[in-house]
């Protein structure tokens, strides 16, 4: 395998293009364009935090301002072209991938059964699974709250028995989410949710490994073995290593220059990718505020290497120890991540409250940049469904620019 050096700017532009962030953001999507975007990304993470909007909506809106919530709901709940399950976290996934998820379900049945039975107690766990499945088979879709009389839940690991059973059965493929009631999952038997052509189809273990590695590399463009493994969270290091050896004739070894100009990162790409990298378009110069769970930045180490942007979400950090805030959004301009912003849709006062913007080192705060920021915040305001944008008096934290990213 030959060795090519890909400079950092080209690598950034190519990955941005692969992520659908180099396209005109106002071109009408409709449902077909939305489905294509999700299939291209591979999955869209679902998260319950609603500081401005939920993560899956924000991820899609960042790529196209014609995105509509109802179109996503229709693709999941009526057309059944998308389904909800688990990658590295809860996600919306093209239903055509369901046959490959059967291999994940098999792995999860072994892993979660041991882990959850140890936590929730050995006795009664299988009975709870049978009881929940029997009720859904007889009565139809259910929410967690439909199981009255169980021990009440006070947190993630204080689930009542039926909640634990529902989540286990969903994570292992016997139940699926047929729709959302507000943000509450509505569970049904998988055979009543997933279309028959996908539900009945099976693929061999070899086909599963090939698909998982190849489709990850197609979406990442250029990646290390660990990044291929982590993309879907479906594979082991040994499976990826064996695949790369078996398919070495289809792969090219490259080195990717990091943002800090340091030692290039040895990586892999499918043959023929170099021409696509060279043809990667320059992203629109406009500014975009991204979700903390945006797939461009989900792999934090990769994002730091490509963009020189060190980011950690501080939701679980005690307030007194936070550097920035509870839920701070990365800000992209062109092909660079230029800072992070703390904002919240305050629906009680009908406003988008902007608390602070921290620029990255070397960013010049010009009138043009502030105008771009205000324009994007107005788009976010309309997306969140509030009437105005307000700014704290010291929202431009130009005197608090962070030092260079550490390890």
């Amino acid at each position: 395998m030959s060795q090519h050096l890909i400079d950092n700017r080209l690598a950034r532009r190519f990955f941005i293009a692969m992520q659908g962030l180099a396209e005109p953001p106002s071109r009408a999507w409709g449902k077909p364009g939305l489905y294509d975007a999700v299939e291209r990304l591979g999955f869209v993470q679902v998260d319950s935090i609603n500081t401005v909007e939920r993560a899956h909506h924000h991820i899609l809106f960042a790529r196209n301002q014609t995105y509509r919530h109802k179109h996503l709901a229709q693709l999941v709940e009526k057309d059944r072209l998308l389904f909800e399950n688990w990658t590295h976290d809860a996600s919306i996934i093209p239903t055509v991938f369901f046959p490959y998820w059967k291999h994940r379900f098999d792995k999860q049945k072994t892993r979660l059964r041991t882990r959850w039975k140890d936590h929730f107690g050995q006795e009664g766990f299988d009975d709870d699974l049978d009881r929940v499945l029997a009720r859904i088979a007889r009565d139809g879709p259910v929410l967690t709250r439909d199981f009255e009389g169980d021990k009440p839940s006070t947190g993630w690991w204080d689930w009542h028995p039926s909640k634990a059973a529902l989540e286990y059965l969903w994570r292992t493929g016997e139940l699926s989410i047929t729709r959302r009631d507000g943000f509450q999952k509505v569970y049904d038997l998988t055979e009543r949710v997933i279309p028959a052509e996908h539900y009945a189809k099976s693929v061999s273990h070899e086909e599963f490994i090939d698909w998982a590695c190849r489709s990850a590399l197609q979406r990442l463009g250029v990646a290390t073995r660990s990044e291929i493994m982590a993309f879907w969270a479906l594979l082991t290091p040994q499976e990826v290593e064996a695949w790369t050896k078996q398919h070495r004739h289809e792969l090219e070894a490259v080195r990717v220059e990091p943002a800090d100009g340091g030692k290039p990162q040895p990586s892999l790409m499918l043959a023929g990718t170099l021409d696509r990298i060279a043809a990667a378009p320059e992203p629109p110069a406009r500014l975009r505020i991204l979700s903390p769970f945006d797939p461009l930045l989900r792999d934090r180490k990769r994002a730091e290497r490509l963009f020189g942007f060190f980011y950690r979400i501080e939701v679980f950090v005690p307030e007194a120890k936070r550097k920035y805030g509870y839920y701070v959004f990365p800000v992209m301009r062109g092909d660079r991540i230029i800072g992070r912003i703390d904002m919240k849709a305050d629906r009680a006062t009908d406003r988008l409250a902007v608390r602070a913007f921290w620029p990255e080192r070397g960013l010049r705060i010009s009138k043009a940049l502030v105008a771009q920021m205000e324009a994007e915040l107005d788009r976010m305001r309309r997306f969140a469904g509030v009437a105005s944008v307000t700014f704290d008096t010291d929202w431009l934290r130009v005197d608090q620019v962070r030092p260079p990213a550490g390890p």
Side-chain angles (χ1 to χ4, degrees), residues 272-315:
T273 303
L274 268 182
D275 289 341
R276 296 173 58 212
I277 293 173
E282 184 173 353
R286 56 157 286 180
L287 186 146
R288 302 187 201 215
I289 296 173
L290 303 178
S291 164
F293 299 105
D294 195 286
L296 186 80
L297 305 170
R298 186 195 67 78
D299 186 330
R300 307 300 192 204
K301 289 183 179 180
R302 178 182 172 92
E304 189 172 355
R305 194 170 67 246
L306 280 179
F307 296 95
F309 183 69
F310 179 82
Y311 181 83
R312 297 294 183 272
I313 195 165
E314 296 183 304
V315 168

Side-chain angles (χ1 to χ4, degrees), residues 180-248:
R180 292 269 184 170
D181 184 353
F183 195 66
Q184 297 299 307
K185 301 186 191 82
V186 181
Y187 304 86
D188 200 358
L189 299 179
T190 294
E191 59 263 38
R192 298 200 294 227
V193 175
I194 301 299
E197 65 267 30
H198 304 307
Y199 179 76
K201 183 179 177 181
S202 295
V203 295
S204 69
H205 185 71
E206 184 178 78
E207 290 172 317
F208 161 69
I209 298 296
D210 182 62
W211 172 84
C213 289
R214 190 179 302 276
S215 62
L217 197 48
Q218 287 168 340
R219 286 164 176 80
L220 292 168
V222 180
T224 66
R225 287 171 176 81
S226 62
E227 289 166 352
I228 295 170
M229 179 190 71
F231 183 82
W232 298 110
L234 293 172
L235 301 169
T236 66
Q238 295 77 17
E239 288 168 335
V240 175
E241 182 65 26
W243 183 84
T244 59
K245 289 180 179 178
Q246 181 182 359
H247 295 272
R248 61 171 64 91

Side-chain angles (χ1 to χ4, degrees), residues 74-83 95 177-179 192-195 198:
Q74 289 166 1
L75 287 170
V76 174
E77 299 173 7
K78 295 182 179 179
D79 303 333
R80 302 299 190 192
L81 292 175
L82 303 173
F83 76 108
T95 310
I177 298 171
T178 187
R179 66 179 188 277
R192 298 200 294 227
V193 175
I194 301 299
H198 304 307

